[in-house]
Amino acid sequence: MRYVNKKDLKPGMILANNIYDNHEQILLKGNTSLTQSYIDRIIKLGYDGLYIFDEGDVVKANQLISDETRIAAINKLKKLDIDACLFLANKIVNEVQASESLIIETINLCSYDNYTYVHSVNVDLLSVIIGIGMGLKNAELEKLSQAALLHDIGKCDVPIEILNKPAKLTREEYEEIKRHPEYGLRRLREKEKDGDEIPSVIKSAVYSHHENWDGSGYPRGITGRNIHRFARIIHVADVYDALTGKRSYKDAMNPADAMEYMMANSGIMFDIDVVNVFVQYVAPYPLGSNVLLSTGKQGVVYENNEKYLSRPKVKLTNGNIIDLYEKLDVTIIKILT
Ligand SMILES: [Fe+2]
């Protein structure tokens, strides 16, 4: 399996996984052979690239949650069905716990639309993994997952023209976006009027997910451990997924660069303890990435080493596999697109 940039897609290439359109309908199934019209359609939807199977390929990325659960969560978020989201957040915890490996080792494939919802599911997944890594118990993990899935629910109260504006926001528009944690809290409180109490940790995490460790965040500008632990976890997951995702106003950053950003900002924006756990589970060089090695050779990331994610096995263009965990004098210089 390798990642192929949209400009290098060719008819006859075999898709490694299902591709969805902007209404979460399957556009193409895994194992489909691409035709030029499929490629045109995929590019039109805003995909930057896809995973392709090569002949003789055996390595497949682990999938932490099923497509079915992911799509159900996206649809329930779209409908603002908070009860269903709370239920699905628990399902996500169960699926992640049943997964063979907790390593996130794929590139965040995304199209333009629906990113708020797709992003919320990604943030949930990352938050649950960090929570497991931090040793949270099941009941806590479920609440963390619920808060993470609903963290941006307040965005539905921000005018869509501001949310989707492709140009730079005015000061007033930015101030409006910054109100979404407050709107999210308000949504949850309104929901409680139906008689179902929402645990205060969830409300607190949704309200505080943009607070920074050093007090430079919003809405309150609180610092350090005054910020709820769940909010500190969701903040890390949120920023990482936003950096590696594509938006109408920016390209996606590659995972290795995004990881550098996270580390550079730990103790400033982020809780160091959370970032330290995060880096143990997210591969900076996802499977299938095209990489340039310090030897000048190019290859594709073939397998990740769970204990040492920055040193994967790389399949060179001549077919040889080099294990960077053993060849310590060779490093990855950059991810090629
Ligand atoms: Fe947010």
Side-chain angles (χ1 to χ4, degrees), residues 50-63:
L50 298 174
Y51 278 109
I52 295 297
F53 262 133
D54 280 325
E55 219 166 299
D57 246 347
V58 280
V59 179
K60 208 169 182 240
N62 64 311
Q63 203 176 358

Side-chain angles (χ1 to χ4, degrees), residues 42-255:
I42 288 162
I43 293 174
K44 209 169 163 202
L45 279 170
Y47 283 94
D48 274 341
L50 298 174
Y51 278 109
I52 295 297
F53 262 133
D54 280 325
E55 219 166 299
D57 246 347
V58 280
V59 179
K60 208 169 182 240
N62 64 311
Q63 203 176 358
L64 288 128
I65 55 169
S66 61
D67 280 0
E68 190 194 356
T69 302
R70 176 177 279 276
I71 287 166
I74 291 171
N75 286 329
K76 297 303 176 188
L77 278 167
K78 246 187 220 175
K79 289 186 183 137
L80 290 171
D81 185 340
I82 293 177
D83 283 327
C85 286
L86 295 173
F87 170 79
L88 284 161
N90 292 349
K91 194 159 185 247
I92 288 172
V93 171
N94 290 336
E95 290 188 19
V96 172
Q97 282 177 325
S99 165
E100 242 170 67
S101 157
L102 294 181
I103 307 295
I104 300 269
E105 55 178 358
T106 47
I107 292 170
N108 180 0
L109 293 183
C110 52
S111 59
Y112 286 124
D113 289 353
N114 291 340
Y115 68 73
T116 301
Y117 313 111
V118 174
H119 167 70
S120 294
V121 179
N122 291 343
V123 169
D124 188 358
L125 196 55
L126 283 164
S127 299
V128 169
I129 289 167
I130 298 171
I132 293 173
M134 293 181 87
L136 296 189
K137 298 278 171 292
N138 229 3
E140 283 183 296
L141 278 177
E142 288 184 349
K143 288 189 197 114
L144 169 64
S145 178
Q146 291 172 331
L149 191 59
L150 295 170
H151 78 281
D152 265 349
I153 195 146
K155 282 206 176 152
C156 64
D157 296 315
V158 175
I160 192 89
E161 320 78 79
I162 299 181
L163 274 185
N164 291 341
K165 190 176 171 184
K168 198 172 184 293
L169 296 174
T170 64
R171 198 187 155 77
E172 292 72 34
E173 287 166 341
Y174 186 52
E175 289 305 318
E176 177 61 20
I177 288 216
K178 281 167 69 178
R179 272 181 217 120
H180 78 271
E182 198 181 308
Y183 296 157
L185 178 64
R186 192 176 67 191
R187 283 265 164 192
L188 297 180
R189 284 186 175 147
E190 270 165 23
K191 171 76 189 139
E192 284 182 316
K193 287 184 190 151
D194 299 345
D196 323 295
E197 205 183 316
I198 292 177
S200 61
V201 290
I202 296 178
K203 288 181 282 187
S204 187
V206 168
Y207 187 52
S208 308
H209 74 274
H210 282 285
E211 298 289 0
N212 287 334
W213 184 259
D214 67 356
S216 61
Y218 57 88
R220 288 176 292 172
I222 53 174
T223 58
R225 297 208 161 77
N226 294 318
I227 306 163
H228 192 280
R229 181 153 72 142
F230 290 1
R232 283 181 264 138
I233 294 173
I234 294 168
H235 190 31
V236 166
D238 181 22
V239 173
Y240 179 79
D241 190 71
L243 290 173
T244 54
K246 182 172 162 170
R247 298 288 183 271
S248 53
Y249 51 87
K250 69 154 195 88
D251 285 334
M253 189 187 271
N254 75 55

Side-chain angles (χ1 to χ4, degrees), residues 316-331:
L316 302 175
T317 31
N318 64 9
N320 290 344
I321 291 169
I322 170 167
D323 185 348
L324 297 183
Y325 186 63
E326 283 167 3
K327 294 284 281 176
L328 292 174
D329 54 331
V330 181
T331 52

